[in-house]
Coordinates of all heavy atoms in Angstrom, one line a residue:
M132 N 5.3 9.7 5.0 CA 5.9 8.4 5.0 C 7.3 8.5 4.2 O 7.3 8.9 3.1 CB 5.0 7.4 4.3 CG 5.5 6.0 4.3 SD 4.3 4.8 3.6 CE 3.5 4.3 5.1
T133 N 8.3 8.1 4.9 CA 9.7 8.1 4.2 C 9.9 7.0 3.3 O 9.0 6.0 3.2 CB 10.7 8.1 5.3 OG1 10.7 6.8 6.0 CG2 10.6 9.2 6.3
G134 N 11.0 7.0 2.6 CA 11.3 5.9 1.7 C 11.5 4.6 2.3 O 11.1 3.5 1.9
A135 N 12.1 4.6 3.5 CA 12.4 3.4 4.3 C 11.1 2.8 4.8 O 10.9 1.6 4.7 CB 13.3 3.7 5.4
E136 N 10.2 3.6 5.2 CA 8.9 3.1 5.7 C 8.1 2.5 4.5 O 7.4 1.5 4.7 CB 8.1 4.3 6.3 CG 8.6 4.7 7.7 CD 7.9 5.9 8.2 OE1 7.3 6.6 7.4 OE2 8.0 6.1 9.4
T137 N 8.2 3.1 3.3 CA 7.5 2.6 2.2 C 8.0 1.2 1.8 O 7.2 0.3 1.5 CB 7.6 3.6 1.0 OG1 7.1 4.9 1.4 CG2 6.9 3.1 -0.2
L138 N 9.3 1.1 1.8 CA 9.9 -0.2 1.5 C 9.6 -1.2 2.5 O 9.3 -2.4 2.2 CB 11.4 -0.1 1.4 CG 12.0 0.6 0.1 CD1 13.5 0.8 0.2 CD2 11.5 -0.1 -1.1
D139 N 9.5 -0.8 3.8 CA 9.1 -1.8 4.8 C 7.7 -2.2 4.6 O 7.3 -3.4 4.8 CB 9.3 -1.1 6.2 CG 9.2 -2.1 7.3 OD1 9.7 -3.2 7.2 OD2 8.8 -1.7 8.4
F140 N 6.8 -1.3 4.3 CA 5.4 -1.6 4.0 C 5.3 -2.5 2.8 O 4.5 -3.5 2.9 CB 4.6 -0.3 3.7 CG 3.2 -0.5 3.3 CD1 2.3 -0.8 4.3 CD2 2.8 -0.3 2.0 CE1 1.0 -1.0 3.9 CE2 1.5 -0.4 1.7 CZ 0.6 -0.8 2.6
A141 N 6.0 -2.3 1.8 CA 6.0 -3.2 0.6 C 6.5 -4.6 1.0 O 5.9 -5.6 0.5 CB 6.8 -2.6 -0.5
R142 N 7.5 -4.7 1.8 CA 8.1 -5.9 2.2 C 7.1 -6.7 3.0 O 6.9 -7.9 2.8 CB 9.4 -5.7 3.0 CG 10.1 -7.0 3.3 CD 11.4 -6.8 4.1 NE 12.2 -5.7 3.6 CZ 12.5 -4.7 4.3 NH1 12.1 -4.5 5.6 NH2 13.2 -3.7 3.8
E143 N 6.4 -6.1 3.9 CA 5.4 -6.7 4.7 C 4.2 -7.2 3.9 O 3.7 -8.3 4.1 CB 4.9 -5.8 5.8 CG 5.9 -5.5 6.9 CD 5.3 -4.5 7.9 OE1 4.1 -4.2 7.9 OE2 6.1 -4.0 8.7
S144 N 3.9 -6.4 2.9 CA 2.8 -6.8 2.0 C 3.1 -8.1 1.2 O 2.3 -9.0 1.1 CB 2.5 -5.7 1.0 OG 2.1 -4.5 1.7
I145 N 4.3 -8.1 0.7 CA 4.7 -9.3 -0.1 C 4.8 -10.5 0.8 O 4.4 -11.6 0.4 CB 6.1 -9.0 -0.9 CG1 5.8 -7.9 -1.9 CG2 6.7 -10.2 -1.5 CD1 7.1 -7.4 -2.6
Y146 N 5.4 -10.3 2.0 CA 5.5 -11.5 2.9 C 4.1 -12.0 3.2 O 3.9 -13.2 3.3 CB 6.2 -11.0 4.2 CG 6.3 -12.2 5.2 CD1 7.2 -13.2 4.9 CD2 5.6 -12.2 6.3 CE1 7.3 -14.3 5.8 CE2 5.6 -13.2 7.2 CZ 6.5 -14.2 7.0 OH 6.5 -15.3 7.9
L147 N 3.1 -11.1 3.5 CA 1.8 -11.5 3.8 C 1.2 -12.2 2.6 O 0.5 -13.3 2.8 CB 0.9 -10.3 4.2 CG -0.5 -10.6 4.6 CD1 -0.6 -11.5 5.8 CD2 -1.3 -9.4 4.7
L148 N 1.4 -11.8 1.4 CA 0.9 -12.4 0.2 C 1.4 -13.8 0.1 O 0.7 -14.8 -0.2 CB 1.2 -11.6 -1.0 CG 0.8 -12.2 -2.4 CD1 -0.7 -12.2 -2.5 CD2 1.5 -11.5 -3.5
I149 N 2.7 -14.0 0.3 CA 3.3 -15.3 0.3 C 2.8 -16.2 1.4 O 2.4 -17.4 1.1 CB 4.8 -15.2 0.3 CG1 5.4 -14.6 -0.9 CG2 5.5 -16.6 0.5 CD1 6.8 -14.2 -0.9
E150 N 2.6 -15.7 2.6 CA 2.1 -16.4 3.7 C 0.7 -16.9 3.5 O 0.3 -18.0 3.9 CB 2.2 -15.6 4.9 CG 1.8 -16.2 6.2 CD 1.8 -15.3 7.4 OE1 2.5 -14.3 7.3 OE2 1.2 -15.6 8.4
L151 N -0.1 -16.1 2.8 CA -1.5 -16.5 2.6 C -1.7 -17.4 1.4 O -2.6 -18.3 1.5 CB -2.4 -15.2 2.3 CG -2.5 -14.2 3.5 CD1 -3.3 -13.0 3.1 CD2 -3.1 -14.9 4.7
S152 N -0.9 -17.3 0.4 CA -1.0 -18.2 -0.8 C -0.3 -19.5 -0.7 O -0.5 -20.4 -1.4 CB -0.6 -17.4 -2.0 OG 0.7 -17.1 -2.0
A153 N 0.7 -19.6 0.2 CA 1.6 -20.8 0.3 C 0.8 -22.1 0.6 O 1.1 -23.1 -0.1 CB 2.7 -20.6 1.3
P154 N -0.1 -22.1 1.5 CA -0.8 -23.4 1.8 C -1.5 -24.0 0.6 O -1.4 -25.2 0.2 CB -1.7 -23.1 2.9 CG -1.2 -21.9 3.6 CD -0.5 -21.1 2.5
T155 N -2.2 -23.1 -0.1 CA -3.0 -23.6 -1.3 C -2.1 -24.0 -2.5 O -2.3 -25.0 -3.1 CB -4.0 -22.6 -1.7 OG1 -3.4 -21.4 -2.0 CG2 -5.1 -22.4 -0.7
M156 N -1.0 -23.2 -2.7 CA -0.1 -23.5 -3.8 C 0.7 -24.7 -3.5 O 0.8 -25.6 -4.5 CB 0.8 -22.3 -4.0 CG 0.1 -21.0 -4.4 SD -0.8 -21.2 -5.9 CE 0.5 -20.9 -7.0
L157 N 1.1 -24.9 -2.3 CA 1.9 -26.2 -2.0 C 1.0 -27.4 -2.1 O 1.4 -28.5 -2.5 CB 2.5 -26.0 -0.6 CG 3.7 -25.1 -0.5 CD1 4.2 -24.9 0.9 CD2 4.8 -25.5 -1.5
T158 N -0.3 -27.3 -1.7 CA -1.2 -28.4 -1.7 C -1.5 -28.7 -3.2 O -1.4 -29.9 -3.6 CB -2.5 -28.0 -1.1 OG1 -2.3 -27.7 0.3 CG2 -3.5 -29.1 -1.2
A159 N -1.7 -27.8 -4.0 CA -1.9 -28.0 -5.5 C -0.7 -28.7 -6.1 O -0.8 -29.6 -6.9 CB -2.3 -26.7 -6.2
L160 N 0.5 -28.2 -5.7 CA 1.7 -28.8 -6.2 C 1.9 -30.3 -5.8 O 2.1 -31.1 -6.7 CB 2.9 -28.0 -5.7 CG 4.3 -28.5 -6.1 CD1 4.5 -28.4 -7.6 CD2 5.4 -27.8 -5.3
V161 N 1.7 -30.6 -4.5 CA 1.9 -31.9 -4.0 C 0.8 -32.9 -4.7 O 1.2 -34.0 -5.1 CB 1.8 -31.9 -2.5 CG1 1.7 -33.4 -2.0 CG2 3.0 -31.2 -1.9
V162 N -0.4 -32.4 -4.7 CA -1.5 -33.3 -5.2 C -1.3 -33.5 -6.7 O -1.4 -34.6 -7.2 CB -2.9 -32.7 -4.9 CG1 -4.0 -33.5 -5.7 CG2 -3.2 -32.7 -3.4
G163 N -0.9 -32.5 -7.4 CA -0.6 -32.6 -8.9 C 0.5 -33.6 -9.1 O 0.4 -34.4 -10.1
V164 N 1.6 -33.5 -8.4 CA 2.7 -34.4 -8.6 C 2.3 -35.9 -8.2 O 2.6 -36.8 -9.0 CB 3.9 -34.0 -7.7 CG1 5.0 -35.1 -7.7 CG2 4.5 -32.7 -8.3
V165 N 1.6 -36.1 -7.2 CA 1.1 -37.4 -6.8 C 0.2 -38.0 -7.8 O 0.4 -39.2 -8.3 CB 0.5 -37.4 -5.4 CG1 -0.2 -38.7 -5.1 CG2 1.5 -37.1 -4.3
I166 N -0.7 -37.2 -8.3 CA -1.7 -37.7 -9.3 C -0.9 -38.0 -10.6 O -1.2 -39.0 -11.3 CB -2.8 -36.7 -9.6 CG1 -3.7 -36.6 -8.3 CG2 -3.7 -37.1 -10.7 CD1 -4.4 -37.8 -7.9
G167 N 0.1 -37.1 -11.0 CA 0.9 -37.3 -12.2 C 1.7 -38.6 -12.1 O 1.8 -39.3 -13.1
L168 N 2.2 -38.9 -10.9 CA 3.0 -40.1 -10.7 C 2.0 -41.3 -10.9 O 2.4 -42.4 -11.5 CB 3.7 -40.1 -9.4 CG 4.9 -39.3 -9.3 CD1 5.4 -39.2 -7.8 CD2 6.0 -39.7 -10.2
L169 N 0.9 -41.2 -10.3 CA -0.1 -42.3 -10.4 C -0.5 -42.6 -11.8 O -0.7 -43.7 -12.3 CB -1.3 -42.1 -9.5 CG -1.1 -42.2 -8.0 CD1 -2.3 -41.8 -7.2 CD2 -0.7 -43.7 -7.6
Q170 N -0.7 -41.5 -12.5 CA -1.1 -41.6 -13.9 C 0.0 -42.2 -14.8 O -0.2 -43.0 -15.7 CB -1.5 -40.3 -14.5 CG -2.8 -39.8 -14.1 CD -3.2 -38.4 -14.8 OE1 -2.3 -37.6 -15.0 NE2 -4.4 -38.3 -15.1
A171 N 1.3 -41.9 -14.5 CA 2.4 -42.4 -15.2 C 2.6 -43.9 -14.9 O 2.9 -44.7 -15.7 CB 3.7 -41.7 -14.8
L172 N 2.3 -44.3 -13.6 CA 2.5 -45.7 -13.2 C 1.4 -46.6 -13.8 O 1.6 -47.7 -14.1 CB 2.5 -45.8 -11.7 CG 3.8 -45.2 -11.0 CD1 3.6 -45.3 -9.5 CD2 5.0 -46.0 -11.4
T173 N 0.2 -46.1 -13.8 CA -1.0 -46.9 -14.3 C -1.3 -46.7 -15.7 O -2.1 -47.3 -16.3 CB -2.2 -46.6 -13.4 OG1 -2.5 -45.2 -13.6 CG2 -2.0 -46.9 -12.0
Q174 N -0.6 -45.7 -16.4 CA -0.9 -45.4 -17.8 C -2.3 -44.9 -18.0 O -2.8 -45.1 -19.1 CB -0.5 -46.5 -18.7 CG 1.0 -46.8 -18.7 CD 1.4 -47.8 -19.6 OE1 0.6 -48.5 -20.2 NE2 2.7 -48.0 -19.7
I175 N -2.9 -44.4 -17.0 CA -4.3 -43.8 -17.2 C -4.0 -42.3 -17.6 O -3.5 -41.5 -16.7 CB -5.1 -43.9 -15.9 CG1 -5.4 -45.3 -15.6 CG2 -6.4 -43.1 -16.1 CD1 -6.0 -45.5 -14.3
Q176 N -4.4 -41.9 -18.7 CA -4.1 -40.5 -19.2 C -5.4 -39.7 -19.3 O -5.6 -39.0 -20.3 CB -3.4 -40.5 -20.5 CG -2.0 -41.2 -20.4 CD -1.1 -40.5 -19.4 OE1 -1.1 -39.3 -19.3 NE2 -0.3 -41.3 -18.7
E177 N -6.2 -39.8 -18.3 CA -7.5 -39.0 -18.2 C -7.2 -37.6 -17.7 O -6.6 -37.4 -16.6 CB -8.5 -39.7 -17.3 CG -9.8 -39.0 -17.2 CD -10.6 -39.0 -18.5 OE1 -10.4 -40.0 -19.3 OE2 -11.3 -38.0 -18.7
M178 N -7.5 -36.6 -18.5 CA -7.1 -35.2 -18.2 C -7.9 -34.7 -17.0 O -7.4 -33.9 -16.2 CB -7.3 -34.3 -19.4 CG -6.4 -34.6 -20.6 SD -4.7 -34.5 -20.2 CE -4.5 -32.8 -19.9
T179 N -9.2 -35.1 -16.9 CA -10.0 -34.6 -15.8 C -9.7 -35.3 -14.5 O -10.2 -34.8 -13.4 CB -11.5 -34.8 -16.1 OG1 -11.7 -36.2 -16.3 CG2 -11.9 -34.1 -17.4
L180 N -8.9 -36.3 -14.4 CA -8.6 -37.0 -13.2 C -7.8 -36.1 -12.2 O -7.9 -36.2 -11.0 CB -7.8 -38.3 -13.5 CG -7.4 -39.1 -12.3 CD1 -8.6 -39.7 -11.6 CD2 -6.5 -40.3 -12.8
V181 N -7.0 -35.2 -12.7 CA -6.2 -34.3 -11.9 C -7.1 -33.3 -11.2 O -6.8 -32.9 -10.0 CB -5.1 -33.6 -12.8 CG1 -4.3 -32.7 -11.9 CG2 -4.3 -34.6 -13.5
F182 N -8.1 -32.8 -11.8 CA -8.8 -31.6 -11.3 C -9.6 -31.9 -10.0 O -9.6 -31.1 -9.1 CB -9.7 -31.0 -12.4 CG -9.0 -30.5 -13.5 CD1 -9.0 -31.0 -14.8 CD2 -8.1 -29.4 -13.4 CE1 -8.3 -30.6 -15.8 CE2 -7.4 -28.9 -14.4 CZ -7.5 -29.5 -15.7
V183 N -10.4 -33.0 -10.0 CA -11.2 -33.2 -8.8 C -10.4 -33.4 -7.5 O -10.7 -32.8 -6.5 CB -12.2 -34.4 -9.1 CG1 -13.0 -34.8 -7.9 CG2 -13.1 -34.1 -10.3
P184 N -9.4 -34.3 -7.5 CA -8.7 -34.4 -6.2 C -8.0 -33.1 -5.8 O -7.9 -32.8 -4.7 CB -7.6 -35.5 -6.5 CG -8.1 -36.2 -7.7 CD -9.0 -35.3 -8.5
K185 N -7.5 -32.4 -6.8 CA -6.8 -31.1 -6.5 C -7.7 -30.1 -6.0 O -7.4 -29.4 -5.0 CB -6.1 -30.6 -7.8 CG -5.1 -29.5 -7.5 CD -4.5 -29.0 -8.8 CE -3.5 -29.9 -9.4 NZ -2.8 -29.4 -10.5
I186 N -8.9 -30.0 -6.5 CA -9.9 -29.0 -6.0 C -10.4 -29.4 -4.6 O -10.5 -28.6 -3.7 CB -11.1 -28.9 -7.0 CG1 -10.7 -28.2 -8.3 CG2 -12.3 -28.2 -6.3 CD1 -11.7 -28.2 -9.4
L187 N -10.6 -30.7 -4.4 CA -11.0 -31.2 -3.0 C -9.9 -30.9 -2.0 O -10.2 -30.5 -0.9 CB -11.4 -32.6 -3.1 CG -12.6 -33.0 -3.8 CD1 -12.8 -34.5 -3.9 CD2 -13.8 -32.3 -3.2
A188 N -8.6 -31.2 -2.4 CA -7.5 -31.0 -1.4 C -7.4 -29.5 -1.1 O -7.2 -29.1 0.0 CB -6.2 -31.5 -2.0
I189 N -7.5 -28.7 -2.1 CA -7.4 -27.2 -1.9 C -8.5 -26.7 -1.0 O -8.3 -25.9 -0.1 CB -7.3 -26.5 -3.2 CG1 -6.0 -26.7 -3.9 CG2 -7.5 -25.0 -3.0 CD1 -5.9 -26.2 -5.3
F190 N -9.7 -27.2 -1.3 CA -10.8 -26.8 -0.4 C -10.6 -27.2 1.0 O -10.9 -26.4 1.9 CB -12.1 -27.5 -1.0 CG -13.3 -27.1 -0.2 CD1 -13.9 -25.9 -0.3 CD2 -13.9 -28.1 0.6 CE1 -15.0 -25.6 0.5 CE2 -15.1 -27.8 1.4 CZ -15.6 -26.5 1.3
V191 N -10.1 -28.4 1.3 CA -9.9 -28.8 2.7 C -8.8 -27.9 3.3 O -8.9 -27.5 4.5 CB -9.5 -30.3 2.7 CG1 -8.9 -30.7 4.1 CG2 -10.6 -31.2 2.3
V192 N -7.7 -27.7 2.6 CA -6.7 -26.8 3.1 C -7.2 -25.4 3.4 O -6.8 -24.8 4.4 CB -5.5 -26.8 2.1 CG1 -4.5 -25.7 2.5 CG2 -4.8 -28.1 2.1
L193 N -8.0 -24.9 2.5 CA -8.6 -23.6 2.8 C -9.5 -23.5 4.0 O -9.5 -22.5 4.7 CB -9.4 -23.1 1.5 CG -8.6 -22.6 0.4 CD1 -9.5 -22.2 -0.8 CD2 -7.8 -21.4 0.8
L194 N -10.2 -24.6 4.3 CA -11.0 -24.7 5.5 C -10.1 -24.5 6.7 O -10.5 -23.9 7.7 CB -11.8 -26.0 5.5 CG -13.0 -26.1 4.7 CD1 -13.6 -27.4 4.7 CD2 -14.0 -25.0 5.1
F195 N -9.0 -25.2 6.7 CA -8.1 -25.1 7.9 C -7.2 -23.8 7.9 O -6.9 -23.3 8.9 CB -7.1 -26.3 7.9 CG -7.9 -27.6 8.3 CD1 -8.0 -28.6 7.3 CD2 -8.4 -27.8 9.5 CE1 -8.7 -29.7 7.6 CE2 -9.1 -28.9 9.8 CZ -9.2 -29.9 8.9
A196 N -6.9 -23.2 6.7 CA -6.0 -22.1 6.6 C -6.8 -20.7 6.7 O -6.1 -19.7 7.0 CB -5.2 -22.1 5.3
L197 N -8.1 -20.7 6.5 CA -8.8 -19.4 6.5 C -8.8 -18.7 7.8 O -8.6 -17.5 7.9 CB -10.2 -19.6 6.0 CG -10.3 -19.7 4.5 CD1 -11.8 -19.9 4.1 CD2 -9.8 -18.4 3.8
P198 N -8.9 -19.4 9.0 CA -8.8 -18.7 10.3 C -7.4 -18.0 10.4 O -7.3 -16.9 10.9 CB -9.0 -19.7 11.3 CG -9.8 -20.8 10.6 CD -9.3 -20.8 9.2
M199 N -6.3 -18.7 10.0 CA -5.0 -18.1 10.1 C -4.9 -17.0 9.2 O -4.3 -15.9 9.5 CB -4.0 -19.2 9.8 CG -2.5 -18.8 9.8 SD -1.8 -18.1 8.3 CE -2.1 -19.4 7.1
A200 N -5.4 -17.1 8.0 CA -5.3 -16.0 7.0 C -6.1 -14.8 7.5 O -5.7 -13.7 7.3 CB -5.9 -16.5 5.6
G201 N -7.3 -15.0 8.0 CA -8.1 -13.9 8.6 C -7.4 -13.2 9.7 O -7.4 -11.9 9.7
E202 N -6.7 -13.9 10.6 CA -6.0 -13.3 11.7 C -4.8 -12.5 11.1 O -4.5 -11.4 11.6 CB -5.5 -14.4 12.6 CG -4.8 -13.8 13.8 CD -4.4 -14.9 14.8 OE1 -5.0 -16.0 14.8 OE2 -3.4 -14.7 15.5
A203 N -4.1 -13.1 10.2 CA -2.9 -12.4 9.6 C -3.4 -11.1 8.9 O -2.7 -10.1 9.0 CB -2.2 -13.3 8.6
M204 N -4.5 -11.1 8.2 CA -4.9 -9.9 7.5 C -5.4 -8.9 8.5 O -5.2 -7.7 8.3 CB -6.0 -10.3 6.5 CG -5.5 -11.0 5.2 SD -6.7 -11.2 3.9 CE -7.8 -12.3 4.6
A205 N -6.1 -9.3 9.5 CA -6.6 -8.4 10.6 C -5.4 -7.7 11.3 O -5.4 -6.5 11.5 CB -7.4 -9.1 11.6
T206 N -4.4 -8.5 11.6 CA -3.2 -7.9 12.2 C -2.5 -6.9 11.3 O -2.1 -5.8 11.7 CB -2.2 -9.0 12.6 OG1 -2.8 -10.0 13.4 CG2 -0.9 -8.5 13.3
Y207 N -2.4 -7.3 10.0 CA -1.8 -6.4 9.0 C -2.6 -5.1 8.9 O -2.0 -4.0 8.8 CB -1.7 -7.1 7.7 CG -1.0 -6.3 6.6 CD1 0.3 -6.1 6.6 CD2 -1.7 -5.9 5.5 CE1 1.0 -5.4 5.7 CE2 -1.1 -5.1 4.5 CZ 0.2 -4.9 4.6 OH 0.9 -4.2 3.6
M208 N -3.9 -5.2 8.8 CA -4.8 -4.0 8.7 C -4.6 -3.1 9.9 O -4.7 -1.9 9.8 CB -6.2 -4.4 8.5 CG -7.1 -3.3 8.2 SD -6.6 -2.3 6.8 CE -7.2 -0.7 7.3
N209 N -4.5 -3.7 11.1 CA -4.3 -2.9 12.3 C -3.0 -2.2 12.3 O -3.0 -1.0 12.7 CB -4.4 -3.8 13.6 CG -5.8 -4.3 13.9 OD1 -6.8 -3.7 13.5 ND2 -5.8 -5.4 14.6
G210 N -2.0 -2.8 11.7 CA -0.7 -2.1 11.6 C -0.8 -1.0 10.6 O -0.2 0.1 10.8
I211 N -1.6 -1.2 9.5 CA -1.8 -0.1 8.5 C -2.6 1.1 9.2 O -2.2 2.2 9.0 CB -2.5 -0.6 7.3 CG1 -1.6 -1.5 6.5 CG2 -3.0 0.5 6.4 CD1 -2.3 -2.2 5.3
A212 N -3.6 0.7 10.0 CA -4.4 1.8 10.6 C -3.5 2.6 11.6 O -3.7 3.8 11.7 CB -5.6 1.2 11.3
V213 N -2.6 1.9 12.3 CA -1.8 2.6 13.2 C -0.8 3.6 12.4 O -0.6 4.7 12.9 CB -1.0 1.6 14.1 CG1 0.2 2.3 14.8 CG2 -1.9 0.9 15.0
R214 N -0.3 3.1 11.3 CA 0.6 3.9 10.5 C -0.2 5.2 9.9 O 0.4 6.3 9.8 CB 1.2 3.2 9.4 CG 2.2 2.2 9.8 CD 2.8 1.5 8.6 NE 3.8 0.5 9.0 CZ 4.4 -0.3 8.2 NH1 4.1 -0.3 7.0 NH2 5.3 -1.2 8.7
I215 N -1.4 5.0 9.6 CA -2.2 6.1 9.0 C -2.5 7.1 10.1 O -2.5 8.3 9.9 CB -3.5 5.6 8.4 CG1 -3.2 4.8 7.1 CG2 -4.5 6.7 8.1 CD1 -4.4 4.1 6.5
A216 N -2.8 6.6 11.3 CA -3.2 7.5 12.4 C -2.0 8.3 13.0 O -2.2 9.4 13.6 CB -3.8 6.7 13.6
Q217 N -0.8 7.8 12.7 CA 0.4 8.6 13.2 C 0.6 9.8 12.4 O 0.5 9.8 11.2 CB 1.7 7.7 13.1 CG 1.7 6.6 14.1 CD 2.9 5.7 13.9 OE1 3.7 5.9 13.0 NE2 3.2 4.8 14.9
P218 N 0.9 10.9 13.1 CA 1.1 12.2 12.3 C 2.4 12.2 11.5 O 3.3 11.6 11.7 CB 1.1 13.3 13.4 CG 1.4 12.6 14.7 CD 1.0 11.1 14.5

């Protein structure tokens, strides 16, 4: 494997990592900001209020994103297998 191929492999790995983690991270960010705004508007400063909606929202997003994530990882693994099999 040449240096260019190694860099290409690393770039693909980082892109896949971002692609797989983006839906959950963005969901947690949006839900956290919305709950924070609601807490600021209503002056309810309950620390546990943030966790339950955020966990539920992330769970729902994971249910929808897992098939896409599985397909992306399978495609990536097939590409790795092809690279390994090449002489």
Side-chain angles (χ1 to χ4, degrees):
M132 184 177 266
T133 66
E136 289 174 339
T137 304
L138 288 176
D139 195 34
F140 176 72
R142 186 179 319 119
E143 288 177 13
S144 300
I145 292 171
Y146 179 73
L147 181 65
L148 176 68
I149 292 170
E150 185 181 340
L151 295 179
S152 64
T155 55
M156 298 300 278
L157 290 174
T158 300
L160 175 69
V161 169
V162 171
V164 168
V165 169
I166 297 295
L168 286 174
L169 287 175
Q170 283 182 327
L172 291 173
T173 60
Q174 295 183 353
I175 298 173
Q176 297 302 323
E177 181 65 32
M178 295 301 292
T179 59
L180 181 64
V181 179
F182 295 114
V183 173
K185 194 181 287 189
I186 289 172
L187 290 176
I189 289 172
F190 180 72
V191 169
V192 167
L193 282 176
L194 283 176
F195 289 111
L197 279 179
M199 180 268 307
E202 181 179 336
M204 286 190 291
T206 303
Y207 183 70
M208 184 58 209
N209 287 337
I211 290 173
V213 167
R214 286 182 183 175
I215 291 172
Q217 289 178 350

